[in-house]
Every structure is written in structure tokens, then in C-alpha cells.
Amino acid sequence: MDSRGRAGIAARLAPAAGGLSIVLTITIGVLGPSAMVPRLPGPSWQPPYSLDLAPGGHLVVALAAAALVLGTAGLALGLAYPGGSPRARTLLVAGCVAAAVLAFLPPSGSADHLNYAAYGRMAALGYDPYATVPADLPADPVIGRVEEWRNTPSLYGPVATAVQALASHVGGDSVRLTVFVMALVNAAAFVATGLLLHRATAGDPVRQRRAALLWTANPLLVYELVAGMHLDTVAIAFVVAGLVARRGVLLGLGVAVKATVGVVALGTAWELRRSPRRLALVAGLAALTVLVAYLLAGPHSLDQLLNASKSVSLATPWKLAQRALQGLFGPGAYRAWIQAGSLLLLAVLAVLLLRGRPAAGREGPVVALAVAVAWLFAAPYALPWYDGLGFALLALVAWPGLEAFLVARLAVLSLAYLPARQADQPSDLRWLVDVVRGWVAPSLLLALTIALLWWAARSAARARTPRAPAAPRPSGPSPGSRSPSR
């Protein structure tokens, strides 16, 4: 089969697989509370809505697994043939419609939104969510519904807390309505980012379609960011807008939602390095925005963030290193080694990516993407929805080859955290955590990280190798040609 035939098959299979993936993700929410969907107390007439069919845990986990596998296949095929169909505008509209539908369905995949509601409720009631834990207020109708992290104060930024508090003021004692308000904000941020990326790539239909595939119509991001309703969506919307428009206030607001997205600011700083006044203005406004936000949030607003920076999540390769170091030196002896190793890996990977970066396009998004990818692969604590930042930046940058690593990484992490929620799980599916999340995913991600290092090193080496000068064209007539008549 020739390349045209393969492209035609991919053009049909990619949207079919991606669309079916999104339909399965929507179906999980429609079915109602389950092992994938936490129950939301509140009047039944309030959104979000579902059929409340109480499906079995095996069914919904299987639906989620199918959604992730189909979504990965559809995304990979679509990116492999970026000039195919549907057009960018069709993909954009389809993704926005999916986000709007999911906003009216209960979030799925994790129970993080219950923590968001609890922290907002604390702020609305006058408690400090950075110094109070859900276990301190077990009788509250909203705070008492937290399933996980009951003894952990908020690690989210002041802007995130403000959104949560606003949702709590609207929702009152109803977990359902509180979550719905946050879901609307989350869906709006996802759609706004998609529209911004569409506008930023205007004038090039192939780039626009690729941007839609990587963000708005990306089944993996729809599953993680929209259906999962994670705050990363709001943080990404701010920093991408700040990067595109070179606006310090927007960058600062993104950092004040979630501090880790601040790596994007390095791209803007690099791009403005030849304009010291503009750089000072943008950096000053970003820093001032963050400073004011955290000062208003109080003295404990950074406490849990600093503690979380020392953690190691179960699915990263660093969990393998932690087990090895604990076996050699005993419990607790691994942290300094892992922190040093992760910083070294981040630096090496960032340098290699920057040396081999593509020359075309604006420097800011390219540098921001290189640093963000290095951080994603090097961080000891990583969850699948963190990767949304990498995909948003990749939508702005034509970097052949890099997208394969991000798609593979998100696919592995998403399957490893299937689901990220711990409650109501069938006991015979415990192997998903013990085996897949604990051993298979870290091993696969270790191999993927090594492959990325090798690929980045080769790209950097090719970038340093000067191209041979083109051979001079002969001044006389070429062999076999006739001399011009005189």
C-alpha cells in the first residue's frame, strides 16, 4: 500500500478512534456514581446530572481503559498525518462541544474535585485552607465528603483558592452545585486555551489542525483535564495566554493557580532578553502579581507546596530509585539523592533540548516547551494531568519527533492511574495499583526517558554540526548542453 493509501486509512481511523474515545469518556459520567465517579451530595435537580445507574467497577474501569487506548491510537494516527481531515475548525468545535457536555456531568477518574470543594468551603467559612485540613471539620456537609488527602492542607495557589471559594459561595452546602461551578470554570479555561491556540496558529491550516489535535480534540486531555476537572487546566490557560501575548500579569496569575507552570516564564524571559526594559516590565508584573496573591493568601500558603516538592509519586521512574536507595541505606535516606538526581536530569535534558531546538518560529514558546518537557520527565512527583502543559506548548511549536514522546508518556501515565480514585475499587483490580502503577509504568517511563535523552542528544549533535557548503555552480554550460549562438 502506498503512502496515499495509508494516509487515507489514517484519515478515517483517527477521527473515529478519537471520537469514540471521547464518547466513552462522556458515557462514564452519564452512568453516574461508580468506581470512576465519586457521588456528589446535593439536590438532584442541581447540575451536574447523570442517570445514576450505579454501574459496576469492572465496567467503568474497562470503559476508561478502552477510552485511553482508542484515544492514544486516534491521536497518534492524527499526528502522523497532520494534513488529513477533519479540518481544524471541525476538530475545534467538536472538542469545545465535548467540554461543554462534560461540564454538566459529574467529574470522573479522580476525587480531586472533592478536595477543591473542601478548600473553597474552608475559605468561604473563614478558615485558612493552607493551615486547616479536611479532617479538622468532618461534620461539614462539603468538607466531610473528602475521600483522600483528608490530613493535607491546600497546596494550590491563591487564585485557585479564590475560584474554589467563589464556587463555595454559590454552592453553599451542596457539593453538587459547588463542583458544577468549578466545572464551568474548568471547561471555559479549556475552551479558551483551544481558541487561543487556534488563533495563534492562524494562516497555516496544517498547524491549526495539529494544534486542535494536541489540545481541544485530544481525547487524552479531554479525559484527564475536562472529565477529571483538574486545576491544571486553569493554570495552563493563564500561562499560555501570557506566553503568547507576553503579559506578565497573565503569567503571574497562572503561577498563582499552580506554581509549577511557572517554567513557562523562562520562555518569555529568553525571548525578551534583548529588550531589557520590556523584560523588566513583564518580569516585574509577573513577580508582583504572584507576590500580592501569596501575601493576601497568608503566611502558610507555601507550606504544603514545599512539602510536596519532596514527594515521589508511584508511577515515576524515581519510585524505582527510591526502592533501591531504601534497600541500600534504609528508610528516609533517599530524598536528598532523588532531589539531586532529578535536578541534574532536568538540567541535562533541558540543555540538550535547547541545543537541538528547531530554528523556526518564536523563541519564547520553543524555550518554554523545552524546559517544560525537561521538568515533566525529570520531576519525582508527576500525575497524568500535569502533562497538559506540555501539550499546550507543543501546539504552538513545530518540533518534529517530540510529540511522540509526550503522547507515549501521557498514555502510560493515564493507564497507570486507572483510576486515580482509591475508593469503591473492586478488590480484584488491586493489581492495577500494585503491578501496573507500581512497577510496569515506572519501568516504561524509565525506558522512555532514556530514549528521549538519546534523541535529544542526537538532535543537539546535528544542530552543532555545520552543514557542508553547497558546491558552486559551474559558470560554463553544463555537459551536453549547446553553446548559445552568437
Side-chain angles (χ1 to χ4, degrees):
M1 183 181 296
D2 59 14
S3 59
R4 183 175 298 180
R6 289 194 297 270
I9 293 175
R12 292 189 293 272
L13 290 180
L20 182 54
S21 170
I22 293 175
V23 168
L24 291 176
T25 298
I26 291 173
T27 301
I28 293 169
V30 169
L31 293 175
S34 65
M36 287 285 298
V37 179
R39 183 171 293 278
L40 302 176
S44 59
W45 59 267
Q46 293 178 341
Y49 304 111
S50 73
L51 297 178
D52 203 11
L53 297 178
H58 295 86
L59 173 62
V60 292
V61 170
L63 290 174
L68 292 173
V69 172
L70 286 168
T72 302
L75 179 60
L77 283 172
L79 292 172
Y81 299 94
S85 59
R87 294 181 302 173
R89 188 181 298 274
T90 302
L91 292 170
L92 180 70
V93 171
C96 291
V97 169
V101 170
L102 284 164
F104 283 83
L105 299 176
S108 60
S110 82
D112 282 6
H113 53 281
L114 299 179
N115 292 80
Y116 301 163
Y119 298 138
R121 176 77 167 175
M122 291 176 190
L125 293 177
Y127 295 95
D128 183 355
Y130 300 107
T132 309
V133 300
D136 293 337
L137 302 165
D140 186 88
V142 177
I143 301 172
R145 301 301 301 185
V146 169
E147 293 181 355
E148 303 163 13
W149 309 103
R150 293 186 57 81
N151 294 300
T152 305
S154 177
L155 55 78
Y156 305 106
V159 172
T161 300
V163 172
Q164 294 162 356
L166 173 64
S168 183
H169 280 295
V170 175
D173 292 343
S174 173
V175 178
R176 182 188 293 262
L177 188 55
T178 302
V179 168
F180 174 65
V181 174
M182 292 189 292
L184 289 179
V185 173
N186 186 77
F190 185 81
V191 169
T193 303
L195 294 174
L196 178 63
L197 294 173
H198 186 76
R199 182 179 178 84
T201 52
D204 188 336
V206 174
R207 283 190 65 205
Q208 275 196 322
R209 183 176 183 274
R210 177 177 173 273
L213 285 171
L214 286 168
W215 182 264
T216 322
N218 184 335
L220 299 181
L221 292 189
V222 170
Y223 175 93
E224 294 292 356
L225 293 181
V226 186
M229 209 197 84
H230 291 285
L231 271 171
D232 301 69
T233 316
V234 180
I236 291 168
F238 278 125
V239 294
V240 169
L243 180 65
V244 170
R246 302 187 186 96
R247 293 293 184 267
V249 172
L250 292 172
L251 291 170
L253 289 173
V255 175
V257 174
K258 193 171 184 181
T260 50
V261 300
V263 296
V264 170
L266 297 175
T268 299
W270 179 270
E271 192 171 39
L272 297 177
R273 68 190 187 281
R274 294 187 180 89
S275 178
R277 291 185 179 179
R278 181 71 187 278
L279 175 59
L281 177 62
V282 173
L285 286 174
L288 181 62
T289 302
V290 174
L291 179 63
V292 170
Y294 274 94
L295 285 175
L296 292 174
H300 300 289
S301 55
L302 291 173
D303 292 354
Q304 186 56 29
L305 180 63
L306 296 175
N307 291 332
S309 65
K310 303 174 184 177
S311 302
V312 179
S313 57
L314 196 57
T316 66
W318 295 108
K319 180 57 69 173
L320 302 177
Q322 177 185 338
R323 294 187 182 114
L325 291 169
Q326 285 179 323
L328 290 173
F329 304 112
Y334 64 88
R335 289 183 176 174
W337 289 97
I338 287 180
Q339 284 184 307
S342 66
L343 289 174
L344 177 61
L345 175 59
L346 190 156
V348 170
L349 191 50
V351 168
L352 290 175
L353 287 170
L354 288 171
R355 287 182 175 177
R357 68 186 185 271
R362 280 180 49 192
E363 283 189 307
V366 173
V367 172
L369 175 60
V371 177
V373 169
W375 167 70
L376 288 170
F377 276 82
Y381 194 91
L383 296 169
W385 42 92
Y386 294 7
D387 285 25
L389 178 64
F391 279 90
L393 297 175
L394 189 60
L396 292 169
V397 178
W399 198 326
L402 186 58
E403 57 199 21
F405 290 98
L406 286 180
V407 172
R409 173 185 158 84
L410 182 54
V412 170
L413 271 177
S414 296
L415 288 168
Y417 282 90
L418 183 63
R421 183 180 181 228
Q422 298 175 9
D424 300 329
Q425 299 304 307
S427 58
D428 59 345
L429 293 182
R430 180 66 192 177
W431 60 272
L432 290 173
V433 175
D434 297 337
V435 178
V436 177
R437 193 180 305 174
W439 291 100
V440 176
S443 301
L444 290 175
L445 291 179
L446 176 61
L448 189 64
T449 303
I450 294 172
L452 178 61
L453 281 166
W454 175 81
W455 178 83
R458 287 195 62 187
S459 299
R462 285 196 297 267
R464 289 197 303 270
T465 303
R467 294 182 179 180
R473 298 181 64 180
S475 57
S478 59
S481 64
R482 293 184 178 182
S483 299
S485 60
R486 296 182 182 271

